[in-house]
Amino acid sequence: MELNIFRNTIEQEDRVSFYSKLLSQIPDLIFQMTISEDGTIKFPFLSESVVNHFELTADEIGNYTIDLVKSKIIRDDFPNFFDSIEKSKRTLEPWIFEFRSHLPLKGLRWFRVRATIEKDDNNGFIFYGRVNDNTESRNQALKLKVSEERYQFALQASSEGIWDLDVKSKTVFFSSQSMKMLDFEEKDAILTIDKWDNRIHPEDTEKYNHDIQLHFENKTPFYKNLQRVLTEKNQYKWILSRGKIIQRDENGDPMRVIGTHTDISKQIEKEHELKRTLEILSEQNKKLLNFAYIVSHNLRSHASNFKMLLDVIETETDQSIRDQSLQYLRKNSNDLTETIDNLKELVEIHSDLKPTKLHLNLFQYLDKMLHLLSEAFIKHNVSCKIDIPENESVYFNPAYLESILLNFSTNAVKYSHSERPPIIHYHFYYEDGKKVLAIADNGIGIDLEKHRDSLFGMYKTFHKDTNSRGLGLFMSKNQIEAMGGRVTVDSEVNVGTVFKIYFNDEE
């Protein structure tokens, strides 16, 4: 009987030794922890991996008590160590705890403990568990979190929106910035693709579909398209859309496309404004060259005449010829004065960058002009037809309006047809929201095939009227354009002419 007990004891010790040796060879960090009834914590077993991983010294190996834990767990994590143990003791649920340890060689490491718990015969507790080094996964998670935070910050700070198209389901993820561009609520949304496509301007739809198809067919490395998109406030914005296929199926068909939206409306507006400015500068440059040519040509002609006449007066002995030359000299002086006055008037128009604009009653100004020309109209038997509301106004310069009405009206009389009395029709109406005054006559007309390009040029005449100086239409066009308006002409020889003045009523 005693022999059997001795043998059983030996076998049990051998099994313990065997399992201890076996567990010591396992690479996992395995441990046994006991907590007595009075709360004393000991570590009866630590695998070799634990010893190596935690860089335990010879002294530490022999100290399998709570002091060992205190020496390895960072102080800030130590209170939670006891809290987690107490919770596991109350519930008998697995003990799970995560802590940090600063090791001599490895530095700061993250560990995660998981152990089963059971009661012993002395009202104590035994924990069997393992420890995992979670440092790498922790670092990766931290990097991922930082990366996501940076991405979110960059996305919020950026003016670009993000879209993600599922080609098969035709649904698109739109970031909050994309939704904001179209004046919708600023939050992420998943919508069908037609919610965006149906808002694209009809004139941009064909190119939009073409550019996408080129990328889908792998003919372009990425998709890029500029489109006007209707916002929730019923206004169009210029959106630059870019994208790239990131996934295709086994047949090479696109499955997923991601890209960005950029609102470049302000940039487009500035480009249009710059284009308009360049057009104005180009037009002003043409006018300047025209003006320089006129000044050079006309003043040089007058100067040459002065020199020639003075030479005659100085060298000629015949008094009658000298007197005649003096008369020519005076006439040349008068012509020069008139030329300078004309040029002065032209300079005044172009130098007055912001001429005064007032809301003027068009009917009253026309009535005033007709009163001034009443004698001339009676003399030439002129008939006037007026289709202008008595309360209609235009935003214009008073002096310019008088000048324009006089110029177009006197031209209608000056170039009337010899075989019929002059008829002038003043007709006011709206065209595409713009106020228009049409002044039509039944005169001799103008051959526009020959003269359209030079019709409003300075000193340009198209008939053999000796009183024509070629300034009226030139000055009127410059005055109208100085007010932000424009003038057009329709004419047929021996039928008549219609001038249309388009007013700009913007404040």
Side-chain angles (χ1 to χ4, degrees):
M1 182 69 175
E2 291 178 356
L3 182 60
N4 289 335
I5 295 173
F6 176 75
R7 287 179 177 174
N8 289 337
T9 302
I10 295 297
E11 289 176 359
Q12 185 176 3
E13 290 177 353
D14 288 343
R15 282 198 298 271
V16 171
S17 175
F18 169 76
Y19 287 124
S20 296
K21 291 179 180 179
L22 181 63
L23 290 173
S24 297
Q25 302 303 313
I26 295 176
D28 290 348
L29 282 65
I30 299 173
F31 70 93
Q32 181 186 30
M33 180 178 72
T34 62
I35 304 177
S36 64
E37 186 178 7
D38 61 3
T40 302
I41 296 178
K42 292 184 179 181
F43 292 90
F45 175 79
L46 293 175
S47 69
E48 191 71 24
S49 298
V50 173
V51 173
N52 294 333
H53 207 88
F54 282 92
E55 302 173 12
L56 300 180
T57 64
D59 293 337
E60 289 173 333
I61 293 174
N63 183 20
Y64 287 0
T65 66
I66 191 61
D67 293 331
L68 177 61
V69 176
K70 288 182 179 180
S71 67
K72 295 302 176 182
I73 297 179
I74 286 180
R75 181 178 299 177
D76 291 343
D77 295 344
F78 197 72
N80 292 330
F81 172 80
F82 286 108
D83 290 342
S84 62
I85 288 178
E86 290 301 318
K87 180 181 178 182
S88 184
K89 287 165 60 179
R90 288 195 310 270
T91 62
L92 293 181
E93 291 182 355
W95 175 45
I96 300 174
F97 177 62
E98 195 167 36
F99 64 94
R100 293 167 294 171
S101 180
H102 201 286
L103 304 179
L105 298 179
K106 297 186 178 70
L108 181 66
R109 310 296 291 181
W110 280 90
F111 294 98
R112 188 172 187 270
V113 176
R114 180 179 179 87
T116 58
I117 182 175
E118 61 182 39
K119 280 189 173 185
D120 62 16
D121 296 334
N122 300 313
N123 293 324
F125 296 90
I126 304 175
F127 293 81
Y128 305 93
R130 59 187 296 175
V131 182
N132 296 106
D133 189 333
N134 281 354
T135 306
E136 294 304 321
S137 60
R138 264 283 184 171
N139 289 340
Q140 291 295 330
L142 182 60
K143 289 179 181 178
L144 180 60
K145 181 181 178 183
V146 171
S147 177
E148 288 179 349
E149 288 174 348
R150 287 174 180 168
Y151 169 76
Q152 289 297 330
F153 178 79
L155 190 60
Q156 292 172 6
S158 170
S159 60
E160 292 190 346
I162 304 294
W163 56 269
D164 188 338
L165 168 64
D166 184 326
V167 180
K168 299 298 182 182
S169 65
K170 295 184 178 181
T171 58
V172 189
F173 164 83
F174 293 104
S175 71
S176 58
Q177 191 65 25
S178 288
M179 300 301 290
K180 182 183 178 182
M181 286 180 192
L182 300 190
D183 297 322
F184 287 103
E185 185 180 354
E186 190 176 351
K187 66 177 184 179
D188 298 344
I190 297 178
L191 306 171
T192 57
I193 193 171
D194 60 290
K195 296 295 184 181
W196 183 280
D197 291 359
N198 291 344
R199 291 180 171 273
I200 296 177
H201 194 286
E203 294 178 4
D204 300 337
T205 301
E206 183 177 351
K207 189 174 187 309
Y208 165 76
N209 291 326
H210 177 70
D211 290 344
I212 291 178
Q213 194 60 35
L214 285 178
H215 184 50
F216 277 15
E217 294 174 0
N218 218 13
K219 294 180 180 178
T220 55
F222 55 87
Y223 154 72
K224 182 178 180 181
N225 179 265
L226 181 61
Q227 59 213 237
R228 285 165 290 180
V229 185
L230 189 65
T231 70
E232 182 68 2
K233 294 180 180 179
N234 208 33
Q235 298 174 336
Y236 279 102
K237 285 186 178 180
W238 285 98
I239 305 296
L240 178 62
S241 181
R242 288 171 288 197
K244 186 175 180 63
I245 297 171
I246 63 169
Q247 185 180 0
R248 292 180 180 270
D249 61 18
E250 63 276 6
N251 299 318
D253 295 327
M255 296 179 62
R256 187 180 174 201
V257 190
I258 62 173
T260 61
H261 288 138
T262 308
D263 182 356
I264 62 170
S265 301
K266 291 183 179 179
Q267 179 182 331
I268 295 293
E269 185 178 340
K270 288 180 179 179
E271 289 176 359
H272 288 168
E273 189 175 316
L274 178 60
K275 183 179 178 181
R276 288 192 295 269
T277 301
L278 291 175
E279 290 174 350
I280 292 172
L281 289 175
S282 177
E283 184 64 26
Q284 293 295 337
N285 189 46
K286 290 179 182 177
K287 292 178 181 179
L288 181 61
L289 290 173
N290 187 35
F291 180 77
Y293 171 78
I294 294 166
V295 171
S296 173
H297 179 270
N298 288 6
L299 294 185
R300 186 171 64 247
S301 298
H302 289 301
S304 298
N305 288 338
F306 275 121
K307 184 178 184 303
M308 181 187 67
L309 291 171
L310 288 173
D311 288 343
V312 170
I313 293 172
E314 288 180 357
T315 58
E316 185 58 56
T317 58
D318 189 329
Q319 188 61 41
S320 62
I321 295 178
R322 288 167 60 91
D323 291 342
Q324 187 178 18
S325 296
L326 284 171
Q327 291 178 4
Y328 285 137
L329 187 62
R330 179 172 295 279
K331 183 177 184 304
N332 194 66
S333 176
N334 292 335
D335 291 343
L336 177 59
T337 300
E338 183 180 359
T339 297
I340 292 174
D341 287 341
N342 291 338
L343 294 175
K344 179 175 177 291
E345 186 177 354
L346 177 60
V347 170
E348 287 176 350
I349 290 177
H350 291 292
S351 62
D352 189 4
L353 297 179
K354 290 187 178 180
T356 303
K357 294 178 75 172
L358 301 172
H359 291 284
L360 309 174
N361 186 292
L362 184 60
F363 184 87
Q364 291 178 2
Y365 268 76
L366 178 62
D367 185 64
K368 178 182 178 181
M369 183 277 301
L370 293 177
H371 180 73
L372 291 174
L373 298 177
S374 58
E375 292 186 8
F377 278 18
I378 292 172
K379 179 180 178 180
H380 292 88
N381 196 26
V382 178
S383 299
C384 293
K385 181 181 180 182
I386 301 174
D387 289 325
I388 300 176
E390 294 186 7
N391 61 345
E392 194 63 62
S393 67
V394 292
Y395 195 50
F396 217 76
N397 179 271
Y400 288 2
L401 186 58
E402 290 182 8
S403 174
I404 291 166
L405 293 175
L406 281 169
N407 273 327
F408 286 124
S409 298
T410 54
N411 278 348
V413 177
K414 187 184 298 184
Y415 303 111
S416 60
H417 203 285
S418 59
E419 298 179 1
R420 53 181 179 265
I423 300 175
I424 308 175
H425 182 199
Y426 302 93
H427 179 210
F428 179 87
Y429 60 97
Y430 283 82
E431 182 177 308
D432 296 330
K434 293 286 186 181
K435 295 179 179 180
V436 183
L437 175 63
I439 303 176
D441 65 53
N442 64 339
I444 58 178
I446 304 170
D447 188 345
L448 294 180
E449 290 187 5
K450 290 183 179 180
H451 305 300
R452 183 182 293 278
D453 293 338
S454 58
L455 182 63
F456 293 100
M458 192 173 187
Y459 294 130
K460 301 295 182 180
T461 59
F462 314 102
H463 303 291
K464 296 180 179 180
D465 191 308
T466 56
N467 295 322
S468 297
R469 296 183 298 159
L471 283 172
L473 291 179
F474 177 78
M475 299 301 291
S476 294
K477 181 176 185 291
N478 277 271
Q479 289 168 337
I480 292 169
E481 290 179 349
M483 293 289 97
R486 62 187 180 93
V487 60
T488 64
V489 60
D490 292 313
S491 188
E492 186 177 345
V493 176
N494 292 324
V495 175
T497 302
V498 180
F499 288 98
K500 296 179 181 178
I501 304 166
Y502 292 81
F503 294 94
N504 183 0
D505 261 20
E506 293 181 1
E507 297 278 347

